[in-house]
Amino acid sequence: MQVAENTVVSIHYTLTNNAGETLDSSVERGEPLAYLHGHGNIIPGLENALVGKAAGDKMDVTVEPAEGYGERHEQLIQQVPRTAFEGVDTLEPGMQFQAETGMGPRLFTITEVGGEEVTVDGNHPLAGETLNFAVEVTEVREASAEELEHGHVHGPEGHDH
Ligand code: ZN
């Protein structure tokens, strides 16, 4: 079976940036990633490259930011007063929270905590990065009616609910 709209695709992948650093690897986790094709479950650049592939196919895919996690927006890096975090006992770099912006709700990450001000970054950690995927397709199957209805994969490698 080939990868097409409404198939469930399992892949092993290793993701590196242009500096050659490994950012993510399903191989290291020991479990392939399963996703429902054609539903925007994974970034467009990778999803498009998988069309027509079959189990056993291997490939290298380079994804530019526009087809990945987007460009970095400097205006999403902001200084906010500590008092904006009323009720939070400890503020540390790496903490994440959701906030409304002119671009819709976004996940912000605290990058620096000062005495009076906290620096937050609303960019995806991989925004602006060119992504290099080494991919192996491990399985392609039909999606179940329930998976299609939910728009995501069920089972051991997917959603559990
Ligand atoms: Zn579901």
XYZ file of all heavy atoms in Angstrom, residues 51-119:
520
model
N 4.135 11.252 0.104
C 3.077 10.788 -0.808
C 3.643 9.747 -1.781
O 4.691 9.963 -2.398
C 2.478 11.966 -1.605
C 1.495 11.465 -2.664
C 1.794 12.947 -0.660
N 2.969 8.606 -1.907
C 3.362 7.580 -2.875
C 4.409 6.613 -2.361
O 4.748 5.647 -3.044
N 4.946 6.860 -1.147
C 5.949 5.946 -0.597
C 5.264 4.708 -0.023
O 4.054 4.700 0.237
C 6.767 6.640 0.503
C 7.450 7.911 0.050
C 8.514 7.642 -0.992
C 9.170 8.957 -1.401
N 9.960 8.838 -2.629
N 6.062 3.652 0.210
C 5.540 2.400 0.742
C 6.473 1.894 1.834
O 7.594 2.393 1.983
C 5.425 1.363 -0.370
N 6.001 0.916 2.610
C 6.817 0.345 3.687
C 8.160 -0.106 3.133
O 8.225 -0.730 2.068
C 6.080 -0.827 4.333
N 9.218 0.235 3.837
C 10.567 -0.133 3.410
C 11.295 0.986 2.680
O 12.514 0.965 2.569
N 10.546 1.984 2.173
C 11.185 3.103 1.468
C 11.961 3.964 2.459
O 11.486 4.253 3.556
C 10.133 3.970 0.763
C 9.595 3.313 -0.495
O 10.156 2.257 -0.899
O 8.638 3.840 -1.081
N 13.145 4.397 2.028
C 13.962 5.307 2.832
C 14.226 6.556 2.009
O 14.365 6.472 0.784
C 15.316 4.666 3.165
C 15.226 3.510 4.116
C 16.621 2.982 4.431
C 16.513 1.764 5.336
N 17.828 1.253 5.710
N 14.313 7.681 2.673
C 14.596 8.923 1.946
C 15.109 9.999 2.886
O 14.935 9.916 4.097
C 13.334 9.416 1.242
C 12.208 9.654 2.209
S 10.736 10.198 1.340
C 9.678 10.504 2.697
N 15.767 10.972 2.284
C 16.198 12.167 3.014
C 15.354 13.331 2.530
O 15.193 13.522 1.328
C 17.675 12.454 2.751
C 18.561 11.373 3.351
O 18.301 10.987 4.503
O 19.491 10.913 2.666
N 14.807 14.088 3.451
C 13.925 15.209 3.113
C 14.450 16.467 3.790
O 14.671 16.471 4.998
C 12.481 14.962 3.612
C 11.551 16.074 3.148
C 11.972 13.606 3.157
N 14.649 17.519 3.012
C 15.023 18.817 3.577
C 13.796 19.714 3.548
O 13.164 19.879 2.508
C 16.162 19.456 2.767
O 17.289 18.591 2.833
C 16.538 20.818 3.336
N 13.449 20.252 4.712
C 12.240 21.069 4.834
C 12.644 22.488 5.234
O 13.257 22.697 6.287
C 11.272 20.468 5.880
C 10.034 21.345 6.037
C 10.871 19.045 5.483
N 12.306 23.460 4.372
C 12.575 24.867 4.683
C 11.558 25.348 5.733
O 10.472 24.775 5.853
C 12.459 25.715 3.414
C 13.445 25.334 2.308
C 14.911 25.476 2.724
O 15.200 26.308 3.617
O 15.743 24.741 2.172
N 11.896 26.417 6.471
C 11.003 26.885 7.546
C 9.550 27.092 7.118
O 8.636 26.748 7.870
C 11.637 28.212 7.977
C 13.088 28.038 7.679
C 13.162 27.190 6.435
N 9.326 27.623 5.896
C 7.957 27.904 5.471
C 7.110 26.631 5.399
O 5.888 26.665 5.561
C 7.954 28.606 4.113
N 7.760 25.481 5.135
C 7.052 24.203 5.060
C 7.230 23.400 6.354
O 6.851 22.232 6.426
C 7.591 23.385 3.878
C 7.278 23.979 2.520
C 5.819 23.772 2.177
O 5.402 22.627 2.028
O 5.095 24.773 2.091
N 7.877 24.037 7.332
C 8.135 23.358 8.603
C 7.395 24.058 9.730
O 6.172 24.082 9.759
N 8.163 24.675 10.648
C 7.548 25.332 11.802
C 7.492 26.845 11.643
O 7.300 27.571 12.616
C 8.295 24.944 13.081
C 8.112 23.481 13.405
C 9.078 22.554 13.053
C 6.946 23.031 14.017
C 8.895 21.196 13.328
C 6.756 21.688 14.297
C 7.728 20.775 13.948
O 7.545 19.443 14.213
N 7.666 27.332 10.401
C 7.515 28.750 10.133
C 8.798 29.533 10.390
O 9.778 29.004 10.910
N 8.760 30.800 9.995
C 9.892 31.694 10.229
C 9.857 32.149 11.685
O 8.818 32.108 12.325
C 9.794 32.927 9.311
C 9.713 32.609 7.830
C 11.026 32.061 7.258
O 12.050 32.126 7.962
O 10.992 31.567 6.124
N 10.993 32.613 12.178
C 11.008 33.211 13.520
C 10.496 34.636 13.439
O 10.840 35.382 12.533
C 12.440 33.245 14.079
C 12.905 31.912 14.594
C 14.272 32.037 15.246
N 14.205 32.779 16.487
C 13.819 32.258 17.649
N 13.458 30.993 17.711
N 13.782 32.981 18.731
N 9.642 35.015 14.367
C 9.135 36.382 14.438
C 9.714 37.052 15.676
O 9.412 36.634 16.796
C 7.604 36.392 14.518
C 6.944 35.774 13.331
N 6.845 36.416 12.121
C 6.382 34.560 13.154
C 6.231 35.628 11.254
N 5.942 34.493 11.853
N 10.554 38.070 15.435
C 11.208 38.741 16.570
C 10.178 39.382 17.496
O 10.391 39.491 18.696
C 12.216 39.791 16.087
C 13.442 39.203 15.392
C 14.159 38.125 16.212
O 14.353 38.346 17.421
O 14.503 37.063 15.642
N 9.029 39.815 16.935
C 8.035 40.484 17.785
C 7.368 39.514 18.764
O 6.650 39.943 19.654
C 6.982 41.233 16.950
C 6.036 40.368 16.151
C 6.546 40.093 14.736
O 7.740 40.025 14.495
N 5.626 39.925 13.799
N 7.603 38.206 18.576
C 7.054 37.232 19.525
C 7.992 37.012 20.713
O 7.695 36.243 21.615
C 6.763 35.910 18.827
C 5.535 35.930 17.918
C 5.443 34.642 17.115
C 4.268 36.125 18.726
N 9.153 37.686 20.675
C 10.045 37.676 21.845
C 9.747 38.948 22.619
O 9.897 40.050 22.089
C 11.526 37.613 21.425
C 11.768 36.357 20.598
C 12.436 37.651 22.657
C 13.134 36.291 19.955
N 9.249 38.811 23.838
C 8.751 39.967 24.582
C 9.223 39.947 26.029
O 9.491 38.900 26.597
C 7.208 39.973 24.577
C 6.632 40.233 23.202
C 5.130 39.993 23.136
O 4.483 39.708 24.145
N 4.588 40.105 21.940
N 9.307 41.173 26.578
C 9.596 41.326 28.002
C 8.277 41.634 28.692
O 7.569 42.543 28.265
C 10.539 42.509 28.211
C 11.818 42.415 27.419
C 13.007 42.166 28.314
O 13.151 42.823 29.326
N 13.829 41.215 27.949
N 7.960 40.872 29.690
C 6.735 41.151 30.441
C 7.101 41.297 31.916
O 8.070 40.680 32.387
C 5.675 40.027 30.260
C 5.206 39.978 28.824
C 6.219 38.680 30.673
N 6.348 42.129 32.656
C 6.662 42.287 34.080
C 6.392 40.992 34.838
O 5.481 40.237 34.494
C 5.713 43.406 34.538
C 4.668 43.499 33.491
C 5.228 42.965 32.220
N 7.204 40.751 35.849
C 7.021 39.561 36.690
C 5.616 39.483 37.251
O 5.076 38.399 37.467
C 7.999 39.620 37.877
C 9.250 38.816 37.678
C 10.010 38.726 38.984
N 9.859 37.392 39.555
C 10.850 36.500 39.619
N 12.034 36.803 39.184
N 10.641 35.322 40.126
N 5.025 40.669 37.495
C 3.698 40.698 38.103
C 2.641 40.057 37.195
O 1.558 39.718 37.645
C 3.284 42.154 38.407
O 3.488 42.937 37.227
C 4.098 42.732 39.545
N 2.967 39.894 35.910
C 2.020 39.238 34.997
C 1.850 37.759 35.345
O 0.920 37.114 34.874
C 2.502 39.384 33.549
N 2.770 37.235 36.147
C 2.710 35.815 36.505
C 2.234 35.619 37.938
O 2.695 34.740 38.650
C 4.088 35.166 36.317
C 4.544 35.159 34.893
C 5.282 36.217 34.390
C 4.224 34.109 34.046
C 5.701 36.220 33.072
C 4.637 34.106 32.725
C 5.379 35.171 32.241
N 1.326 36.474 38.335
C 0.781 36.397 39.688
C 0.247 34.988 39.973
O -0.435 34.397 39.138
C -0.365 37.402 39.826
C -0.616 37.838 41.243
C -1.683 38.915 41.300
O -1.756 39.705 40.337
O -2.428 38.945 42.272
N 0.569 34.465 41.118
C 0.066 33.133 41.478
C 1.026 32.016 41.110
O 0.830 30.881 41.523
N 2.054 32.314 40.304
C 3.057 31.300 39.963
C 4.235 31.475 40.913
O 4.854 32.536 40.956
C 3.523 31.452 38.496
C 4.508 30.344 38.143
C 2.335 31.418 37.556
N 4.534 30.452 41.700
C 5.560 30.583 42.740
C 6.963 30.707 42.166
O 7.727 31.589 42.531
C 5.506 29.373 43.689
C 4.263 29.430 44.571
O 3.725 30.542 44.724
O 3.830 28.380 45.071
N 7.297 29.801 41.256
C 8.654 29.773 40.721
C 8.612 29.985 39.208
O 7.877 29.296 38.510
C 9.319 28.399 41.007
O 9.015 28.038 42.350
C 10.815 28.472 40.829
N 9.398 30.945 38.726
C 9.507 31.166 37.285
C 10.894 30.730 36.850
O 11.893 31.185 37.394
C 9.312 32.651 36.961
C 7.907 33.205 37.173
C 7.909 34.708 36.955
C 6.918 32.546 36.222
N 10.937 29.848 35.870
C 12.222 29.342 35.403
C 12.249 29.294 33.894
O 11.219 29.041 33.262
C 12.432 27.900 35.910
C 12.836 27.817 37.352
C 12.883 26.374 37.848
O 12.531 25.466 37.068
O 13.277 26.183 38.995
N 13.431 29.531 33.294
C 13.548 29.354 31.846
C 13.106 27.949 31.446
O 13.389 26.988 32.163
C 15.054 29.552 31.578
C 15.529 30.399 32.707
C 14.701 29.979 33.897
N 12.388 27.866 30.333
C 11.916 26.568 29.862
C 10.453 26.324 30.181
O 9.823 25.473 29.572
N 9.910 27.070 31.162
C 8.487 26.920 31.472
C 7.658 27.431 30.297
O 8.026 28.419 29.663
C 8.122 27.706 32.736
C 8.666 27.097 34.010
S 8.400 28.189 35.436
C 6.653 27.957 35.711
N 6.524 26.770 30.036
C 5.691 27.148 28.899
C 4.277 27.473 29.346
O 3.787 26.923 30.324
C 5.661 26.016 27.869
C 7.020 25.791 27.236
C 6.937 24.800 26.098
O 6.333 23.749 26.237
N 7.531 25.139 24.975
N 3.657 28.384 28.626
C 2.266 28.736 28.928
C 1.620 29.256 27.651
O 2.294 29.676 26.711
C 2.203 29.785 30.032
C 2.879 31.073 29.661
C 2.152 32.126 29.139
C 4.247 31.216 29.802
C 2.775 33.296 28.756
C 4.890 32.385 29.432
C 4.152 33.427 28.907
N 0.302 29.198 27.619
C -0.447 29.644 26.448
C -0.924 31.074 26.657
O -1.327 31.435 27.755
C -1.657 28.726 26.244
C -2.380 28.987 24.948
C -2.555 27.703 24.146
O -2.007 26.672 24.487
N -3.305 27.778 23.089
N -0.875 31.890 25.612
C -1.356 33.272 25.724
C -1.989 33.691 24.400
O -1.643 33.180 23.336
C -0.206 34.203 26.081
N -2.927 34.613 24.495
C -3.581 35.161 23.304
C -2.652 36.187 22.656
O -2.036 36.996 23.338
C -4.884 35.868 23.698
C -6.078 34.953 23.855
C -6.401 34.171 22.588
O -6.243 34.721 21.474
O -6.796 33.002 22.712
N -2.562 36.156 21.318
C -1.806 37.181 20.596
C -2.637 37.608 19.396
O -3.692 37.023 19.123
C -0.460 36.644 20.070
O -0.730 35.758 18.977
C 0.311 35.914 21.149
N -2.146 38.625 18.672
C -2.810 39.047 17.447
C -2.822 37.949 16.394
O -3.576 38.013 15.429
N -1.948 36.924 16.575
C -1.876 35.803 15.638
C -2.598 34.587 16.209
O -2.365 33.465 15.781
C -0.411 35.448 15.346
C 0.364 36.576 14.677
S 2.182 36.361 14.803
C 2.437 34.953 13.715
N -3.475 34.794 17.191
C -4.212 33.675 17.784
C -3.486 33.161 19.023
O -2.466 33.714 19.424
N -4.027 32.113 19.661
C -3.380 31.583 20.861
C -2.032 30.968 20.507
O -1.918 30.282 19.494
C -4.364 30.520 21.367
C -5.237 30.205 20.227
C -5.202 31.359 19.268
N -1.022 31.243 21.310
C 0.300 30.691 21.039
C 0.910 30.176 22.323
O 0.609 30.663 23.404
C 1.245 31.756 20.470
C 0.894 32.217 19.098
C 2.018 33.061 18.549
N 3.103 32.239 18.051
C 3.193 31.849 16.783
N 2.287 32.221 15.914
N 4.193 31.098 16.391
N 1.810 29.204 22.157
C 2.568 28.680 23.279
C 3.823 29.540 23.451
O 4.585 29.724 22.505
C 2.950 27.235 22.997
C 3.486 26.433 24.175
C 2.420 26.263 25.241
C 3.976 25.082 23.691
N 4.001 30.108 24.629
C 5.188 30.904 24.931
C 6.112 30.125 25.855
O 5.654 29.375 26.723
C 4.799 32.222 25.617
C 4.300 33.267 24.655
C 2.981 33.256 24.218
C 5.158 34.242 24.180
C 2.516 34.202 23.323
C 4.710 35.202 23.282
C 3.386 35.184 22.854
N 7.400 30.306 25.666
C 8.406 29.695 26.524
C 9.169 30.801 27.236
O 9.570 31.782 26.601
C 9.394 28.849 25.687
O 8.651 27.908 24.917
C 10.374 28.099 26.584
N 9.337 30.679 28.532
C 10.155 31.636 29.282
C 11.615 31.366 28.945
O 12.089 30.233 29.061
C 9.911 31.498 30.803
C 8.467 31.921 31.127
C 10.921 32.333 31.596
C 8.092 31.767 32.589
N 12.315 32.423 28.482
C 13.717 32.223 28.106
C 14.671 32.866 29.108
O 15.834 32.497 29.171
C 14.003 32.787 26.701
O 13.597 34.161 26.665
C 13.241 32.010 25.644
N 14.196 33.873 29.870
C 15.067 34.540 30.827
C 14.214 35.118 31.949
O 13.143 35.675 31.689
C 15.830 35.665 30.124
C 17.183 35.954 30.719
C 17.864 37.108 29.988
O 17.844 37.113 28.740
O 18.390 37.989 30.681
N 14.665 34.982 33.173
C 13.932 35.534 34.311
C 14.820 36.556 35.004
O 15.896 36.227 35.524
C 13.537 34.413 35.311
C 12.772 35.008 36.489
C 12.696 33.357 34.614
N 14.394 37.821 34.964
C 15.136 38.879 35.652
C 14.423 39.284 36.933
O 13.396 38.713 37.290
N 14.952 40.274 37.620
C 14.361 40.718 38.874
C 12.970 41.281 38.686
O 12.042 40.948 39.425
N 12.807 42.125 37.680
C 11.524 42.791 37.442
C 10.820 42.259 36.200
O 9.614 42.341 36.076
C 11.742 44.305 37.259
C 12.352 45.005 38.459
C 11.390 45.022 39.641
O 10.183 45.201 39.426
O 11.868 44.827 40.781
N 11.613 41.759 35.259
C 11.038 41.399 33.965
C 11.371 39.956 33.593
O 12.388 39.404 33.995
C 11.600 42.322 32.874
C 11.267 43.783 33.118
C 10.994 44.499 31.820
O 11.911 44.515 30.992
O 9.877 45.009 31.631
N 10.450 39.393 32.806
C 10.613 38.025 32.330
C 10.596 38.080 30.803
O 9.749 38.745 30.211
C 9.461 37.133 32.846
C 9.573 35.721 32.298
C 9.440 37.116 34.367
N 11.555 37.416 30.163
C 11.576 37.358 28.702
C 10.880 36.081 28.257
O 11.184 34.992 28.759
C 13.022 37.375 28.165
O 13.685 38.499 28.729
C 13.047 37.474 26.650
